Amino acid sequence: MRRYEPQEIEPRWQRVWADERTWEVSNAPELDGGSSKPATSYVLEMLPYPSGEPHMGHLKCYAIGDALAHFRRRRGERVLHPMGYDAFGLPAENHAIRTGRHPRESTDASIAEFRRQFRSWGVSIDWSRELATHEPEYYRWTQWLFLRLFEQGLAYRRDAAVKWCPTDETVLANEQAKDGVCERCGTPVVSKQLEQWFFRITDYADRLLDDLDSLDWPEHVKTMQRNWIGRSHGAEVVFRCEELGTDYPVFTTRPDTLFGATFFVLAPEHPDVLRLNDSPEVRSYVERAAAEPSEQRGSELGEKTGIALGRTVTNPVNGEEIPVYVADYVLMEYGTGAIMAVPAHDERDHEFAQAFELPIREVVRAPIEEGGESPTLLPYSGDGQMVNSGRFDGEHNRVAFDAIVDWLADEDRGRRSVNFRLRDWLLSRQRYWGCPIPIVHCERCGLVPVPDDQLPVELPDIQDYAPKGRSPLAAATDWVETTCPSCDGPARRETDTMDTFVDSSWYFLRYCDARNGEAPWGREVLDGWMPVDQYIGGVEHAILHLMYARFFTKALADLGLVGFEEPFARLFTQGMITREGAKMSKSRGNVISPRDYVERYGADTTRCYMLYIGPPDQGADWSDEGVGGIHRFLARLWRIGDEIAEPERGAATIDGAGNGQPSPLLRKAHWAIDKVTADLRDRFAFNTALAAIIELVNDAYRYKDDLLASPEGTVQLRFAVATAGSLVFPFAPHLGSEVYELMTGTRVWEQPWPEADPALLSSETFELIVQVNGKLRDRVAAPAEASEAEQERLALGSERVAAQLNGGQIVKTVVVPGKLVNFVVR
RNA sequence: GCGGAUGUGGCGGAAUUGGUAGACGCGCGGGCUUCAGGUGCCCGUGUCCUUCGGGACGUGGAGGUUCGAGUCCUCUCAUCCGCACCA
């Protein structure tokens, strides 16, 4: 008996696909024979960050994407399925510093390995569109796009308190400093005052939030983005300090509680703190708070600290003078850096009031629950009736909300206002391995953009790219010193580089027109492919990458460069692959490499197992025993194909209807077509699709000997095996091609996706379920066309039902046509 | 604390619309094939009881709706993920 040898089969098919450039698609589809334009489909997996070699997460992502790409192609769509590399970034540079090897070298080596492995996995990629973000042909356009945003004022420079990682010696985006530590290296971040480049993403906060409703994305990802943008509706209210003659606006979501404001708090970073009081105590408090980034502040929640400034401000609703404090629970980044404190209706203000023995005045009374008159437990943040609020007493607080804001607006002491949690995107990095910012600093002209025809500003080769607190590029004197494009005087280049998230915010656009040397893309080409029909990647990008790419797309739409507002119509987030119940990591020593499995079992087995392990949006634990099971299945399919192959390839007819009576196997084949099609079309149910194909192959073995006894049976058996090959092709493209060719002599990817014959999906009889009081008691054969009365009669004839009756009486009969009969017996 | 998700055999999971719980795979048990070595074929496998006909129980837990609930409702427990002084 011959053996299934993926090591021989897989490279053979890969060569065919490479030689014939099978998966390339053109941007200008030829209308074949005047037929209507075929539907297009853009299937995209998030581009990999090339570091070392691909891991299991990559394999999972591309196994999912490739299955969908193949399925859509064979259903007649023109599918764009490209690949590229997110090549700039900190890890490559840190690795380079450790090993002394230039980041370009290690990155290029890694890209070569990724490319080699993707080919060895048999992924159907259009390699003619391959790109890498560190190539000048790519980042030339990253710089070009930066300049368009700069012209619009969407890229700007400002002095800001920024998060700084002392280990990586660079500033970080808000989003890259989670829980007060650097996302990359885990070092606690510190606060620094520096001039930095920002993108004005906050201008797009409303649209980024509102347009989420139009997206077919997982609900939890949309929720995360909504929370991150954090839109709150409320009012800005002005409190005046008469002694200094200064107005202090605050943002509040609860203007209805204004009468309950009994003190006022400034953030330590608020510029007026020392103006109000510059005693040594206040100075030291402010300095201590400034050294700590906001994330680490008050880590023991509830322990409120602060200092009274010995000043008062006037509450605009009742003229009350209330004391002013400085306290670190108020953040400078949010709102105005100052708050009105309402201890009766805000938990944090309540804690502060208790610690400093400040008055607590209830102004919203909780409705009395039926059954008791419990006093309102403070702090209370719900709705209720206004009390202690002058002429608003007795009103519902929601009504008073509007009335108070309108009144303040008339008095010019306030207005309706909306606040966001989202901050502008800090994009500059004091690092070497990134896209240079195409700006020149001129003493006379200020910030001068590098003219488009001088792009790209190439990243120079330097010897020492280790971070030193300023960009390593600053040491490349020849490169830094230049002339001003505006006045021709001496000038210096910007030495910061861009955050890599800028590179990946538009790569999906470049794929559409990847070889365009005149522009980042042609707009009509883009509109033919975009938006991405199906985007696939990990949840770890739910906020950062996906938010930035959406911002870029909207900004480019406003510039008229693209004709759509959202880049990714449909998103799928894959779950993580674990090993022995834990995330794979070098320190745990539980890392397994796709390469080992591909070499040992073949790419088809590894890919199929990845999809068979469970629902792809959930995490799953890798098991070597499970891989063996899938390998056995593929080997069985190959072996039966090998055994029954027509010696003269192509001579076999595989007419699905077959000749003579349809065998149970023929029916099973059509059932499998129907099942796999639905699982792939309507949901990402690869595991159950594969289970259906396994059932088909198992049945092929079961009926093989019977069917081989007659020529008609042999044809039906070949059809079933060819169908298994055809259906398995999106998951195991090499084996699918091999088996299909053994059966038919043709290439499976050139064949349309099979269609189930409805006549073979139904049969003349079915198994009627017979229940007594909802419990299964018997199954009887019933004609498919049986009427309800007939079903009931058949069920009554069951001996087991009679035994169950046992003197009881049937009080009710429920008949579900084509399914079951249930007798209610008492 | 707030928000989201998930709980089904020894294990991964299936059950798509309220209608046969456990598809398919792993593991385990048995048989066959002179079969030596990661890889063949077939059968069995939720738990307990059984006079071997079958019966009782069973989807984290407790209630409820229904002829019928893994699926719907209420409460509750556990695990995982995200956010977290956002005024």
Side-chain angles (χ1 to χ4, degrees):
Chain A
M1 193 194 302
R2 299 209 292 156
R3 274 172 54 182
Y4 167 50
E5 285 182 84
Q7 293 76 9
E8 185 276 321
I9 294 169
E10 294 183 354
R12 183 152 44 75
W13 289 104
Q14 285 158 18
R15 220 168 298 128
V16 171
W17 299 328
D19 290 350
E20 302 187 7
R21 304 166 163 233
T22 310
W23 314 120
E24 291 184 15
V25 282
S26 69
N27 284 336
E30 311 249 326
L31 298 185
D32 35 324
S35 65
S36 61
K37 193 182 164 197
T40 62
S41 189
Y42 190 171
V43 176
L44 182 65
E45 301 92 328
M46 289 180 185
L47 91 172
Y49 183 90
S51 154
E53 60 174 306
H55 52 67
M56 283 296 181
H58 292 113
L59 186 91
K60 180 168 181 176
C61 187
Y62 299 111
I64 294 168
D66 206 37
L68 292 173
H70 277 310
F71 179 65
R72 289 177 175 230
R73 274 190 206 103
R74 289 188 57 204
R75 287 179 41 102
E77 295 175 22
R78 304 181 69 243
V79 173
L80 176 57
H81 190 220
M83 177 60 72
Y85 310 94
D86 187 16
F88 276 135
L90 277 184
E93 186 171 341
N94 288 342
H95 177 80
I97 292 161
R98 269 199 312 279
T99 60
R101 198 172 168 204
H102 194 283
R104 179 173 292 112
E105 273 182 46
S106 55
T107 299
D108 284 343
S110 182
I111 287 174
E113 180 60 16
F114 270 67
R115 186 186 295 128
R116 189 191 70 75
Q117 290 205 33
F118 289 158
R119 285 187 182 273
S120 80
W121 298 352
V123 186
S124 64
I125 291 160
D126 179 349
W127 289 105
S128 73
R129 297 166 186 265
E130 189 185 24
L131 57 82
T133 59
H134 73 309
E135 291 163 350
E137 304 83 66
Y138 181 87
Y139 70 69
R140 168 187 180 184
W141 300 113
T142 306
Q143 293 172 342
W144 188 89
L145 291 168
F146 174 90
L147 292 176
R148 300 293 84 78
L149 296 178
F150 179 73
E151 286 161 6
Q152 295 299 306
L154 290 173
Y156 68 96
R157 236 169 118 77
R158 116 169 109 83
D159 199 48
V162 297
K163 285 156 189 166
W164 175 269
C165 172
T167 301
D168 288 332
E169 296 194 57
T170 181
V171 291
L172 301 169
N174 252 11
E175 290 83 344
Q176 288 164 336
K178 289 192 172 171
D179 302 321
V181 300
C182 172
E183 186 186 58
R184 293 286 183 205
C185 64
T187 312
V189 302
V190 297
S191 191
K192 260 197 176 185
Q193 201 72 20
L194 285 172
E195 193 166 282
Q196 295 293 329
W197 284 96
F198 290 87
F199 282 134
R200 213 176 285 281
I201 190 172
T202 50
D203 272 13
Y204 288 80
D206 273 316
R207 283 159 71 185
L208 288 168
L209 187 65
D210 294 338
D211 290 352
L212 283 172
D213 296 335
S214 71
L215 298 177
D216 185 3
W217 284 21
E219 208 46 53
H220 70 276
V221 175
K222 293 207 241 181
T223 305
M224 281 164 75
Q225 292 219 347
R226 285 192 188 104
N227 291 342
W228 192 261
I229 296 167
R231 180 165 66 193
S232 322
H233 296 269
E236 199 167 286
V237 181
V238 178
F239 286 67
R240 185 171 179 81
C241 177
E242 293 294 348
E243 291 168 277
L244 279 84
T246 316
D247 280 339
Y248 290 109
V250 299
F251 173 74
T252 176
T253 52
R254 295 296 304 274
D256 50 317
T257 63
L258 258 164
F259 285 89
T262 53
F263 57 101
F264 192 90
V265 190
L266 296 176
E269 298 87 349
H270 196 287
D272 272 15
V273 170
L274 296 179
R275 235 185 106 212
L276 290 159
N277 181 333
D278 66 349
S279 69
E281 292 84 3
V282 173
R283 275 182 186 281
S284 88
Y285 184 82
V286 167
E287 276 161 25
R288 196 149 25 87
E292 274 185 306
S294 55
E295 283 84 355
Q296 279 159 278
R297 247 190 222 172
S299 40
E300 308 95 77
L301 255 75
E303 271 183 43
K304 295 279 181 283
T305 63
I307 298 183
L309 295 176
R311 304 274 188 175
T312 61
V313 291
T314 313
N315 185 337
V317 294
N318 55 13
E320 254 178 28
E321 293 294 315
I322 57 174
V324 179
Y325 285 78
V326 58
D328 68 2
Y329 82 94
V330 176
L331 309 174
M332 193 60 217
E333 309 90 273
Y334 189 79
T336 63
I339 62 154
M340 65 173 210
V342 184
H345 303 288
D346 181 282
E347 202 181 322
R348 299 150 299 173
D349 297 345
H350 191 260
E351 282 164 7
F352 192 85
Q354 287 197 312
F356 289 79
E357 295 178 346
L358 291 158
I360 296 167
R361 186 193 304 145
E362 181 188 16
V363 291
V364 177
R365 181 152 298 165
I368 295 152
E369 304 295 324
E370 65 274 7
E373 200 166 311
S374 55
T376 302
L377 203 67
L378 298 180
Y380 170 72
S381 57
D383 291 326
Q385 209 176 48
M386 303 287 291
V387 293
N388 299 322
S389 297
R391 62 188 170 95
F392 300 97
D393 281 357
E395 283 183 29
H396 189 268
N397 69 298
R398 300 271 181 111
V399 178
F401 182 110
D402 290 322
I404 290 174
V405 175
D406 290 343
W407 172 43
L408 285 169
D410 288 344
E411 302 275 311
D412 209 23
R413 305 305 295 167
R415 57 184 177 83
R416 230 163 274 279
S417 160
V418 175
N419 236 284
F420 294 93
R421 206 188 87 107
L422 185 71
R423 306 264 68 90
D424 272 344
W425 170 11
L426 200 174
L427 72 109
S428 43
R429 296 288 179 274
Q430 290 69 55
R431 296 294 295 238
Y432 169 70
W433 191 233
C435 174
I437 294 174
I439 292 286
V440 166
H441 297 263
C442 171
E443 295 240 342
R444 249 193 300 170
C445 313
L447 296 176
V448 182
V450 174
D452 288 355
D453 60 13
Q454 290 176 30
L455 299 181
V457 174
E458 284 208 44
L459 186 64
D461 266 322
I462 58 171
Q463 296 307 308
D464 182 10
Y465 36 76
K468 303 171 177 54
R470 57 170 191 163
S471 172
L473 284 176
T477 320
D478 292 352
W479 180 83
V480 173
E481 287 173 5
T482 183
T483 54
C484 170
S486 172
C487 70
D488 271 337
R492 296 175 60 80
R493 287 190 191 281
E494 170 64 59
T495 56
D496 284 358
T497 53
M498 296 187 210
D499 180 5
T500 48
F501 278 111
V502 181
D503 309 324
S504 58
S505 288
W506 73 282
Y507 76 101
F508 44 90
L509 303 174
R510 183 65 178 172
Y511 280 144
C512 297
D513 205 4
R515 297 293 168 256
N516 192 330
E518 309 299 313
W521 54 76
R523 180 159 162 186
E524 62 301 334
V525 173
L526 216 57
D527 291 346
W529 291 114
M530 288 292 293
V532 173
D533 295 276
Q534 182 65 62
Y535 200 30
I536 302 152
V539 238
E540 63 272 21
H541 295 111
I543 296 173
L544 304 179
H545 164 59
L546 290 170
M547 183 86 78
Y548 294 151
R550 294 182 62 221
F551 158 66
F552 251 64
T553 302
K554 288 180 187 303
L556 296 174
D558 288 352
L559 284 161
L561 291 167
V562 304
F564 43 89
E565 286 271 326
E566 286 288 341
F568 313 122
R570 235 177 143 207
L571 173 71
F572 182 85
T573 52
Q574 75 197 64
M576 210 195 342
I577 295 295
T578 58
R579 176 91 173 135
E580 289 143 7
K583 190 172 171 172
M584 289 187 213
S585 73
K586 278 184 192 141
S587 56
R588 263 195 208 88
N590 63 345
V591 180
I592 47 166
S593 154
R595 188 162 38 86
D596 296 340
Y597 289 87
V598 170
E599 282 170 7
R600 191 155 120 196
Y601 295 100
D604 286 338
T605 294
T606 316
R607 290 174 58 168
C608 284
Y609 176 65
M610 192 58 97
L611 298 176
Y612 187 67
I613 193 167
D617 55 336
Q618 284 167 32
D621 204 61
W622 184 272
S623 127
D624 285 353
E625 290 79 19
V627 180
I630 279 291
H631 187 74
R632 249 188 307 279
F633 151 64
L634 294 178
R636 274 160 70 78
L637 172 55
W638 180 83
R639 212 178 306 112
I640 197 170
D642 184 58
E643 183 186 341
I644 66 168
E646 175 71 32
E648 290 173 55
R649 300 269 166 89
T653 159
I654 56 140
D655 177 9
N659 303 315
Q661 278 296 101
S663 66
L665 183 62
L666 187 64
R667 291 186 184 281
K668 187 75 178 185
H670 283 270
W671 166 84
I673 291 169
D674 189 56
K675 170 78 178 149
V676 174
T677 305
D679 282 351
L680 249 39
R681 187 191 51 213
D682 307 332
R683 34 189 228 150
F684 285 70
F686 308 112
N687 53 338
T688 52
L690 277 161
I693 306 169
I694 295 172
E695 283 192 56
L696 174 59
V697 172
N698 287 347
D699 272 12
Y701 273 85
R702 191 182 338 271
Y703 297 116
K704 183 181 68 171
D705 292 343
D706 283 355
L707 290 168
L708 285 175
S710 74
E712 300 81 36
T714 304
V715 170
Q716 292 190 12
L717 178 62
R718 285 213 183 98
F719 172 77
V721 173
T723 298
S726 180
L727 295 177
V728 88
F729 171 75
F731 317 110
H734 316 87
L735 180 72
S737 301
E738 184 78 9
V739 169
Y740 200 82
E741 194 189 51
L742 286 172
M743 293 301 101
T744 71
T746 63
R747 292 165 156 188
V748 67
W749 66 85
E750 291 171 0
Q751 302 299 321
W753 188 253
E755 274 190 55
D757 180 349
L760 290 168
L761 287 177
S762 56
S763 63
E764 281 121 55
T765 61
F766 73 99
E767 198 176 58
L768 178 69
I769 301 306
V770 185
Q771 296 181 335
V772 176
N773 289 336
K775 285 191 176 150
L776 174 76
R777 291 304 172 192
D778 206 357
R779 304 156 209 255
V780 297
E785 303 303 317
S787 67
E788 292 197 18
E790 226 171 317
Q791 282 194 31
E792 188 175 341
R793 195 176 47 73
L794 279 164
L796 264 176
S798 159
E799 285 173 29
R800 295 199 190 164
V801 169
Q804 282 294 322
L805 270 176
N806 196 25
Q809 272 216 322
I810 296 176
V811 295
K812 190 176 174 182
T813 305
V814 181
V815 181
V816 181
K819 208 141 222 176
L820 63 77
V821 176
N822 184 21
F823 297 110
V824 186
V825 175
R826 241 195 298 250

